[in-house]
Amino acid sequence: MKITNPTQQAAVTTADKVFQQMQHAIVEGEIAAGSKISEPELAKRYQISRSTLREALNRLEKCHLIERKANVGSRVVTCTIEGLLELYITREALEGMACRQAAKNMSDEEILHMQDMLKIHAQTQDLKDGVAYYQEEGNLDFHYKVILGSHNKQLIELICGQLYHLVRMYRCQFGMHSPRASRAFDEHANIIQAIADRDGELAEMLMRRHIAASRKNIENKIAQEIAHKEQANIVLIKS
Amino acid sequence: MKITNPTQQAAVTTADKVFQQMQHAIVEGEIAAGSKISEPELAKRYQISRSTLREALNRLEKCHLIERKANVGSRVVTCTIEGLLELYITREALEGMACRQAAKNMSDEEILHMQDMLKIHAQTQDLKDGVAYYQEEGNLDFHYKVILGSHNKQLIELICGQLYHLVRMYRCQFGMHSPRASRAFDEHANIIQAIADRDGELAEMLMRRHIAASRKNIENKIAQEIAHKEQANIVLIKS
DNA sequence: AAAACAGATATTGTCGACAATATAGGCGCT
DNA sequence: AGCGCCTATATTGTCGACAATATCTGTTTT
């Protein structure tokens, strides 16, 4: 599962490399969410000086993966349900608008390319052996293509450069391999159709519903899990 | 004209102070847009070491006021018309959603407080002596209140913490003291009404139109200015 | 015994120096 | 004379040490 962010430029400086390593480590939970970051310890672990580490930390802060307090230190962000919902609300706004702009600004070639991509995903799904692929990489591919298609640097930077690392972190931490692949596939197809028709208003609405549906799916799932745990607790209390 | 960002916490470290100073300097054009940043020179000017300066630069980069390239250096962002339009598109998406959330999440007290604020602005406008005040501080006050009213940390951070510095920069650089104060006032009133009615859908739509109107107003103004300059050029050529 | 103060320890913020990389200017070559 | 290469200079990236601030621990005081 190698998902590379299209806006992420090649790491040239060592601070860049450490940043990317830590980014992966945080997203995948190797560095625990909510844990405090010890600069001396991490500097030793990555064999770099504290200055370089701090440079990396600054970039992690930029994509909202850690939080800093002056004279106190840095903490990895905690994954809360509220945070997840807020993130999806924000995505709905930004990606919705990106989709509207994509309908306006994408070139015909770009649209064709995206339609081709969808066909490949359809085959992959038919074969049923690449569901995980489709859900992870394919899904991201689709969203990235739409966002880049907006041709709006501000939107691209905000979504791809900042939000999506957090999105991936939540996906990993909450173990979300959502089982709504086939429905999502149809939604993707409809969105692409709206873009091809240059219907920005519809494209935005569909993208917003697509993301909102994903959010509601998560809400339900979490509600179920909580209900599960509470039932378990009741059993414990009774025994 | 002292506009303080509500999310901006008190500067405690020297890097913070330098960051704020440079922020103002860039927004108001004292440090020219598009100019290259010389670390040694600025470190001397602010009487700090390069490490501290770089810390400040990192924060400036976070709110999109400078751009860095590895092994090359930092530049102040350039204010282009495309950039301005992209910024407004992004605002439309984010503040629209923030407004929808505000209609959902603001407390009754908050709404009352905002209505009071509007009354004060109305008086100020009636007196006709504080037009500049209304346009600058009052306008920002209104938007800040709505954004904070969303109670969505993600949205608040993105808009208040990052985008609004750029917005202010564009306002200064392009000398925008838009003369649509009275219309904007009415629009504000309608938005607050929608929020008070807890009509999130309408509130979002009104906010989006409000920002889009502002954007179109700018587009027209710039188009006029260009026409003006070209006419001036023609005169020059003829002479 | 609990709270508050004081000192000890650890962590973060800042500094100046060195190493690596890019830019500018002069030299030779075609 | 124009182009490209190579050296010299300047700028950025990285390092280790010191200063300032916060945290922890043990003692004292009410």
Side-chain angles (χ1 to χ4, degrees):
Chain A
M1 188 175 66
K2 186 83 166 225
I3 301 162
T4 51
N5 187 320
T7 61
Q8 201 157 359
Q9 59 232 356
V12 37
T13 174
T14 61
D16 276 324
K17 290 170 200 159
V18 173
F19 161 65
Q20 290 189 0
Q21 286 183 49
M22 290 188 71
Q23 198 180 24
H24 276 91
I26 290 175
V27 165
E28 266 143 57
E30 292 166 37
I31 300 178
S35 65
K36 186 170 182 327
I37 289 196
S38 163
E39 291 184 8
E41 185 202 319
L42 280 179
K44 225 189 317 179
R45 184 182 327 168
Y46 288 104
Q47 304 274 28
I48 55 175
S49 94
R50 261 186 60 228
S51 318
T52 308
L53 178 74
R54 281 165 70 85
E55 183 72 34
L57 292 183
N58 269 316
R59 284 175 225 184
L60 289 171
E61 194 186 5
K62 245 189 307 206
C63 48
H64 303 232
L65 290 177
I66 69 172
E67 286 166 347
R68 282 174 82 188
K69 261 193 273 184
N71 286 318
V72 174
S74 314
R75 298 197 87 89
V76 179
V77 294
T78 53
C79 289
T80 67
I81 297 174
E82 299 84 44
L84 180 61
L85 298 181
E86 287 184 357
L87 182 60
Y88 269 74
I89 294 282
T90 307
R91 275 188 67 195
E92 193 178 319
L94 287 173
E95 290 199 47
M97 178 57 90
C99 200
R100 174 186 284 258
Q101 297 297 312
K104 194 173 152 199
N105 298 329
M106 274 181 100
S107 70
D108 293 338
E109 286 92 328
E110 282 179 294
I111 293 175
L112 280 174
H113 194 263
M114 203 160 65
Q115 287 169 327
D116 289 345
M117 182 192 72
L118 195 74
K119 280 176 198 157
I120 293 170
H121 289 169
Q123 290 170 5
T124 316
Q125 200 188 11
D126 282 345
L127 293 172
K128 306 260 183 197
D129 64 310
V131 181
Y133 161 81
Y134 170 69
Q135 282 164 0
E136 289 300 326
E137 199 158 347
N139 190 38
L140 276 176
D141 254 19
F142 168 74
H143 283 271
Y144 276 140
K145 285 234 162 46
V146 172
I147 296 157
L148 293 177
S150 73
H151 294 199
N152 182 316
K153 291 192 206 97
Q154 192 83 48
L155 286 173
I156 293 168
E157 160 63 18
L158 283 183
I159 309 175
C160 297
Q162 297 186 22
L163 287 190
Y164 259 51
H165 305 290
L166 250 186
V167 171
R168 281 171 46 217
M169 180 172 176
Y170 271 105
R171 286 228 176 107
C172 285
Q173 303 277 326
F174 285 176
M176 282 144 49
H177 325 285
S178 78
R180 49 189 293 284
S182 66
R183 224 199 298 176
F185 179 84
D186 293 339
E187 289 171 6
H188 288 186
N190 289 334
I191 289 170
I192 291 178
Q193 187 58 50
I195 290 175
D197 293 342
R198 304 294 183 184
D199 188 341
E201 195 175 332
L202 180 61
E204 174 170 17
M205 184 186 283
L206 290 176
M207 178 60 92
R208 282 181 67 152
R209 287 193 186 175
H210 175 58
I211 294 172
S214 187
R215 187 185 78 231
K216 280 163 194 160
N217 185 47
I218 292 160
E219 284 184 72
N220 290 338
K221 206 170 164 188
I222 288 172
Q224 278 177 24
E225 272 179 34
I226 289 173
H228 234 69
K229 277 182 191 163
E230 275 179 5
Q231 197 158 10
N233 281 338
I234 291 169
V235 172
L236 279 172
I237 291 166
K238 280 189 182 171
S239 66
Chain B
M1 187 174 67
K2 188 86 167 222
I3 301 162
T4 52
N5 187 321
T7 61
Q8 201 156 1
Q9 57 230 356
V12 38
T13 174
T14 61
D16 277 324
K17 290 170 200 157
V18 173
F19 161 64
Q20 290 189 0
Q21 286 183 49
M22 290 188 70
Q23 199 179 21
H24 276 90
I26 289 175
V27 165
E28 268 143 56
E30 293 166 35
I31 300 177
S35 65
K36 185 169 184 328
I37 289 195
S38 162
E39 291 184 8
E41 185 202 319
L42 280 179
K44 227 189 316 179
R45 187 186 321 173
Y46 289 104
Q47 303 275 27
I48 55 175
S49 95
R50 261 185 60 226
S51 319
T52 308
L53 178 74
R54 282 163 70 84
E55 183 72 34
L57 292 183
N58 269 315
R59 284 176 224 183
L60 288 171
E61 194 187 5
K62 245 187 310 204
C63 47
H64 303 229
L65 290 178
I66 70 172
E67 286 166 346
R68 282 175 82 187
K69 262 192 272 183
N71 286 316
V72 174
S74 314
R75 298 198 88 88
V76 179
V77 295
T78 53
C79 290
T80 66
I81 297 174
E82 300 82 47
L84 180 61
L85 298 180
E86 287 183 357
L87 182 60
Y88 269 74
I89 295 282
T90 308
R91 276 188 67 194
E92 193 178 318
L94 287 172
E95 291 198 46
M97 179 58 90
C99 200
R100 176 187 282 258
Q101 298 297 312
K104 194 173 152 197
N105 298 330
M106 274 181 100
S107 70
D108 294 338
E109 286 94 328
E110 282 178 292
I111 292 175
L112 280 174
H113 195 262
M114 203 160 64
Q115 287 170 328
D116 289 345
M117 183 192 72
L118 195 73
K119 281 179 198 154
I120 293 170
H121 288 170
Q123 290 170 5
T124 314
Q125 200 190 10
D126 282 345
L127 293 173
K128 306 260 185 193
D129 64 310
V131 180
Y133 161 81
Y134 169 69
Q135 281 166 359
E136 289 301 325
E137 200 158 348
N139 191 38
L140 276 176
D141 254 21
F142 168 75
H143 283 271
Y144 275 141
K145 284 233 161 49
V146 172
I147 296 157
L148 293 177
S150 73
H151 294 198
N152 181 316
K153 289 192 208 98
Q154 192 82 48
L155 285 173
I156 293 169
E157 159 64 17
L158 283 184
I159 310 176
C160 297
Q162 296 187 23
L163 286 190
Y164 259 53
H165 306 290
L166 250 186
V167 172
R168 281 172 45 217
M169 180 171 175
Y170 271 105
R171 287 228 175 105
C172 284
Q173 304 275 327
F174 285 175
M176 281 144 51
H177 324 284
S178 78
R180 49 190 292 285
S182 66
R183 225 201 295 178
F185 181 84
D186 292 339
E187 289 170 7
H188 288 186
N190 289 335
I191 290 170
I192 291 178
Q193 186 58 48
I195 292 175
D197 293 342
R198 304 293 184 184
D199 187 341
E201 196 175 331
L202 179 62
E204 175 170 15
M205 185 187 284
L206 290 176
M207 177 60 93
R208 282 181 67 151
R209 286 194 185 175
H210 175 58
I211 294 172
S214 188
R215 187 185 79 231
K216 280 163 195 163
N217 184 48
I218 292 160
E219 284 184 72
N220 290 338
K221 206 173 164 187
I222 288 172
Q224 277 176 26
E225 272 179 34
I226 289 173
H228 233 69
K229 277 181 192 166
E230 277 181 3
Q231 196 156 11
N233 281 337
I234 290 169
V235 172
L236 279 173
I237 291 166
K238 279 189 179 170
S239 65

